[in-house]
Amino acid sequence: MKLLLSEIGPDGATFDGEDPVETLVWPYTERDVVRPAGPMRWHVEARLLGEELVCTGSASALFEGVCCRCGGPLSREYGDGFAVSMRVGPDQVEADLTSELRETILLALPNHPICSENCPGPAAIAPAAGEGDGEGQAGPWAALDALSRG
Ligand SMILES: [Zn+2]
C-alpha cells in the first residue's frame, strides 16, 4: 500500500482499499493449517506533522484452512489495528506502508485458528461421552478401545 503524500491535507486524509493476496508473500507449504484466500484490506488515517508521517488504521485478510479444534473447514478474516510513524523527506512523493500492513495481519494470526467462536469442538466428529459404548455403535473411540485391548 503506497499513499501519495500530496493527497494528505492539513486535516489529514483517509485511505481505504486492498492489495492482491500476493502482497502477503505467504510461503505456501503442504503443512499450512491456514493460508491467505483474499486480498489484503486496509483502512489508513494519515497525518503529516512537519516531516513526520503518522498513520493509524487497520488491516485484514481472509484466510482459509482447517479448524484446529473440530477439524472442519475454516474461513475467517484476520487482522488488527496498527499505528506507525515515519520520517518523510522534503522531496519524497509517496510512502510505502505495505510491510507494516502485512506485519499487522501476520501478527494477528492465532497459533491455533478455529472456525468460529462457537466451534463445537471434537463433539462435531465424535459422539458425546458414553454414546459410543453401546453395542453396534462404532464411534471413533471404539476402534481405539479395540486396539488397546490388543
Ligand atoms: Zn471448528
Side-chain angles (χ1 to χ4, degrees):
M1 185 269 176
K2 291 179 180 174
L3 59 84
L4 287 172
L5 299 178
S6 61
E7 293 182 358
I8 305 175
D11 295 329
T14 300
F15 302 88
D16 289 284
E18 56 185 46
D19 286 325
V21 64
E22 292 78 19
T23 311
L24 285 165
V25 196
W26 187 265
Y28 291 95
T29 72
E30 292 289 318
R31 298 173 56 196
D32 287 344
V33 175
V34 294
R35 53 180 56 181
M40 180 168 83
R41 293 185 240 273
W42 36 263
H43 169 80
V44 177
E45 291 176 20
R47 272 183 175 276
L48 266 174
L49 306 170
E51 291 188 352
E52 198 73 18
L53 173 66
V54 179
C55 295
T56 57
S58 59
S60 66
L62 178 71
F63 283 77
E64 291 181 346
V66 177
C67 174
C68 286
R69 190 181 290 168
C70 72
L74 175 152
S75 178
R76 293 186 76 170
E77 189 95 4
Y78 288 108
D80 205 352
F82 72 92
V84 63
S85 87
M86 60 179 70
R87 182 166 295 281
V88 290
D91 299 326
Q92 194 169 336
V93 176
E94 61 185 18
D96 190 349
L97 299 180
T98 303
S99 61
E100 280 79 8
L101 300 179
R102 176 177 181 269
E103 191 170 282
T104 296
I105 294 170
L106 298 184
L107 288 175
L109 286 174
N111 286 333
H112 300 95
I114 57 175
C115 60
S116 80
E117 297 310 317
N118 299 319
C119 172
I125 53 170
E131 279 184 7
D133 296 340
E135 281 187 37
Q137 290 184 321
W141 302 116
L144 291 173
D145 287 344
L147 286 173
S148 66
R149 280 188 219 112

